Amino acid sequence: MELIKSLLPPNSHLQSLKLDCGQLNDSSIELLLRPSLQELCFHNCADFSGKLLSEIGSRCKDVRSLYLGSVAEKRGRAIHISDLEELLGGCTQLEELNLMFDLSLFLRHNFARVWALASKKLTSLEIGYISSVMVTELLSPNVGPHQYPNQIRPSILPAIQKLSLAVDYITDTMVGTISKGLALLTHLELRDAPLIEPRVTFDLTNSGLQQINQHGRLKHLSLVRSQEFLSTYFKRVNDLGILLMADKCANMESICLGGFCRVTDTGFKTILHSCSSLYKLKVCHGSQLTDLVFHDIAATSLSLTHVSFRWCNLLTNHAIKSLVRNTHLKVLDLRGCKNLGDEALAAIGSLCELKMLQLDNSDISDVGIAYLQHGIISSLVSLSVRGCKKLTDKCISVLFDGSSKLELQELDLSNLPNLSDNGVLALAKSRVPISELRMRQCPLIGDTSIMALASMQADDDRGHGSNLRLLDLYNCGGITQLSFRWLKKPYFPRLRWLGVTGSVNRDIVDALARNRPFLHVACHGEELGTDPWNNIDSSYMHDYEELDELEQWLQEGEWESDDEEMEDAEDDADVVV
């Protein structure tokens, strides 16, 4: 609160406010909400109650874009249907609404009535979680208020073009209601994560797929069954369902299908050959997807730029050789395709526009990585080789030998048993301006790597220190208390996310978190990620002396800390040891 007070003085012209609210609560509402605001983006609102919604409705009547994450998720915080009613009734100019929390807690019999108050200008709606029954009742035109059982209700959310929902079950009834009721829909994203195996009445079948895109406007479709709680799939959908859907989706530009275990090459080929405008195709857990789907890919429009085949275990190098005939590919996600090897990399190396490449758990080796060095590596922004067991330190030397000007910003080297400090030293020496580096579960990575990264100077114009915003070191075998001295200021001046093993020493970890209040320290193995709107590096930049303290430390054999709190923690740790 004290920091927010100094950052947000009275300002009648403030239109956009984006905050991580992890350390704020209801007491800050009056300070945060201004009548002039048109865009609000509040992440991590677990310590707020539903009052946040009602106050936005009464104080920010001109807001056009609203994002609220995790509202009232902390124990003791409540949210009521009346709070949602105040929000929807008060914000009459809303065009984009993202409610990223559980809306299934609201009573169903009031839910549809409240949404009748929503802005008629609302074109985009995203909900963190809601039951499929509530969605169906909300959008069913023949369900009027209880006091008027014979009255047909006017269309709810008439202007919606983009709808993104996480639900308990994706069902035929829900899909049909959405497709029929939202006449202007261009984007539909549905994701479920069943707790138990769905019954036929609460599942998606071929009949449901046939109802998609009844108004012919749909451009982007995503249907994903998550494996979060249960290993389950859309078992009642087969190739026929995809054929029926493709017949109405010839103008589709983006399709994402996850968990369709009974769909074979026949169904997926239909999509590729029927949708001539398709530029983005994602398939997850395509257990029957094989190389044959790309056998005659030359007969398609070859317009794919974003391709993702995650956990499609039957794909081999031959599939990738055919796929790269789409020469303008920019994103290629092949995570979990364990049968892909160096031959696939040789083909991928010809893609001169590729920006993102993800090869997790594949069978590639250092030899295959060499195929990238004189080709796509100069265009890559993101590279992930997590779990590629054959890779060694040599792959770092091959990639970053200094012969090319690199744009690489994100690198994932996690779960590489043969990656050692020597590889990281080579990376630091390359001066590549990496902003996100993941090396979790690397048993040979130790303190030397942290010292090397701390002294890394990637850009002479931005002063001494690493460009890293994210560093994941969770469960690296050689990390000791010494590393934490190098994780303090002034090193890693731009670091916002850090993953470590909390058991190294809890007191030191906590002291580091207090020493760097803008640093998110994760200790339980959770995946780290930066928020796309949080591009505020310059806010925390300082000019430090250009002193190579790594060299000084190595010469003197000692590092003197000026941070008493962390020194005390380190001393206590030594006593315990």
Side-chain angles (χ1 to χ4, degrees), residues 58-115:
S58 62
R59 294 172 182 263
C60 305
K61 295 185 178 297
D62 291 331
V63 68
R64 289 177 168 80
S65 176
L66 177 60
Y67 179 104
L68 297 175
S70 309
V71 178
E73 288 187 357
K74 188 173 182 178
R75 180 176 294 182
R77 302 293 182 266
I79 185 169
H80 305 288
I81 193 69
S82 59
D83 299 318
L84 181 62
E85 185 174 13
E86 289 284 340
L87 174 69
L88 297 177
C91 299
T92 58
Q93 306 301 311
L94 262 181
E95 299 171 4
E96 180 180 353
L97 180 59
N98 303 74
L99 300 177
M100 304 307 292
F101 50 91
D102 188 355
L103 267 63
S104 68
L105 300 175
F106 294 129
L107 296 176
R108 280 171 47 195
H109 68 271
N110 285 326
F111 193 71
R113 175 185 60 80
V114 168
W115 279 92

Side-chain angles (χ1 to χ4, degrees), residues 271-286:
I271 293 174
L272 283 172
H273 290 262
S274 300
C275 306
S276 59
S277 301
L278 193 70
Y279 71 89
K280 182 183 295 185
L281 176 63
K282 296 183 178 182
V283 178
C284 181
H285 291 290

Side-chain angles (χ1 to χ4, degrees), residues 488-490 515 559-567:
K488 296 188 302 182
K489 300 173 183 177
N515 177 265
W559 194 91
E560 295 185 0
S561 170
D562 60 355
D563 189 296
E564 296 180 359
E565 183 181 22
M566 288 198 69
E567 277 193 341

Side-chain angles (χ1 to χ4, degrees), residues 27 88 105 154 179 186 194 220 266 294 302 306 353 362 380 489 495 498 553 557 559 569:
S27 64
L88 297 177
L105 300 175
S179 299
T186 61
H220 306 274
T266 301
F294 306 112
L302 293 177
H306 296 63
E353 298 180 29
S362 61
L380 277 181
K489 300 173 183 177
L495 197 63
L498 175 66
W553 185 87
W559 194 91

Side-chain angles (χ1 to χ4, degrees), residues 72-354:
E73 288 187 357
K74 188 173 182 178
R75 180 176 294 182
R77 302 293 182 266
I79 185 169
H80 305 288
I81 193 69
S82 59
D83 299 318
L84 181 62
E85 185 174 13
E86 289 284 340
L87 174 69
L88 297 177
C91 299
T92 58
Q93 306 301 311
L94 262 181
E95 299 171 4
E96 180 180 353
L97 180 59
N98 303 74
L99 300 177
M100 304 307 292
F101 50 91
D102 188 355
L103 267 63
S104 68
L105 300 175
F106 294 129
L107 296 176
R108 280 171 47 195
H109 68 271
N110 285 326
F111 193 71
R113 175 185 60 80
V114 168
W115 279 92
L117 302 172
S119 166
K120 303 308 177 186
K121 300 179 180 180
L122 193 63
T123 60
S124 176
L125 175 63
E126 182 175 8
I127 295 177
Y129 184 80
I130 186 173
S131 74
S132 59
V133 173
M134 293 175 74
V135 176
T136 301
E137 293 180 352
L138 171 64
L139 297 175
S140 296
N142 293 324
V143 180
H146 290 288
Q147 62 268 36
Y148 304 111
N150 298 319
Q151 179 179 348
I152 295 180
R153 190 180 65 198
S155 177
I156 294 290
L157 310 175
I160 286 290
Q161 298 175 24
K162 181 177 180 180
L163 183 65
S164 180
L165 306 174
V167 297
D168 48 357
Y169 302 101
I170 298 175
T171 69
D172 286 352
T173 302
M174 183 183 70
V175 168
T177 302
I178 291 172
S179 299
K180 183 178 181 180
L182 302 180
L184 302 181
L185 200 64
T186 61
H187 292 65
L188 177 60
E189 300 177 4
L190 301 176
R191 178 185 182 90
D192 70 5
L195 292 171
I196 59 174
E197 192 66 37
R199 302 190 305 272
V200 65
T201 53
F202 277 89
D203 203 4
L204 182 66
T205 71
N206 292 340
S207 176
L209 286 184
Q210 189 176 10
Q211 299 179 64
I212 288 176
N213 202 25
Q214 294 187 28
H215 299 282
R217 296 176 179 268
L218 205 61
K219 299 291 185 182
H220 306 274
L221 174 66
S222 178
L223 299 172
V224 175
R225 175 148 288 173
S226 169
Q227 311 290 308
E228 184 177 357
F229 304 113
L230 181 69
S231 180
T232 182
Y233 303 88
F234 292 113
K235 297 178 180 178
R236 297 177 174 91
V237 173
N238 55 28
D239 291 335
L240 177 60
I242 300 297
L243 293 172
L244 295 171
M245 182 187 77
D247 188 49
K248 296 182 179 180
C249 295
N251 296 322
M252 203 79 79
E253 298 176 2
S254 171
I255 294 178
C256 176
L257 301 175
F260 288 82
C261 65
R262 295 185 60 198
V263 177
T264 71
D265 294 334
T266 301
F268 293 119
K269 284 181 69 173
T270 301
I271 293 174
L272 283 172
H273 290 262
S274 300
C275 306
S276 59
S277 301
L278 193 70
Y279 71 89
K280 182 183 295 185
L281 176 63
K282 296 183 178 182
V283 178
C284 181
H285 291 290
S287 56
Q288 297 197 53
L289 178 67
T290 75
D291 297 349
L292 292 176
V293 76
F294 306 112
H295 178 67
D296 54 354
I297 197 169
T300 70
S301 63
L302 293 177
S303 59
L304 292 175
T305 60
H306 296 63
V307 171
S308 175
F309 295 116
R310 296 188 196 177
W311 301 292
C312 297
N313 292 325
L314 298 182
L315 292 182
T316 72
N317 298 327
H318 298 291
I320 308 306
K321 291 178 181 179
S322 299
L323 178 62
V324 298
R325 299 187 70 168
N326 290 272
T327 56
H328 297 292
L329 277 172
K330 292 180 172 60
V331 174
L332 188 54
D333 181 355
L334 301 170
R335 282 176 279 183
C337 298
K338 60 184 180 181
N339 291 317
L340 300 184
D342 294 340
E343 290 183 41
L345 277 180
I348 292 169
S350 66
L351 298 171
C352 58
E353 298 180 29
L354 198 66

Side-chain angles (χ1 to χ4, degrees), residues 504-518:
V504 169
N505 185 278
R506 185 72 244 183
D507 292 336
I508 294 180
V509 173
D510 291 343
L512 176 64
R514 290 190 294 269
N515 177 265
R516 307 188 71 154
F518 298 113

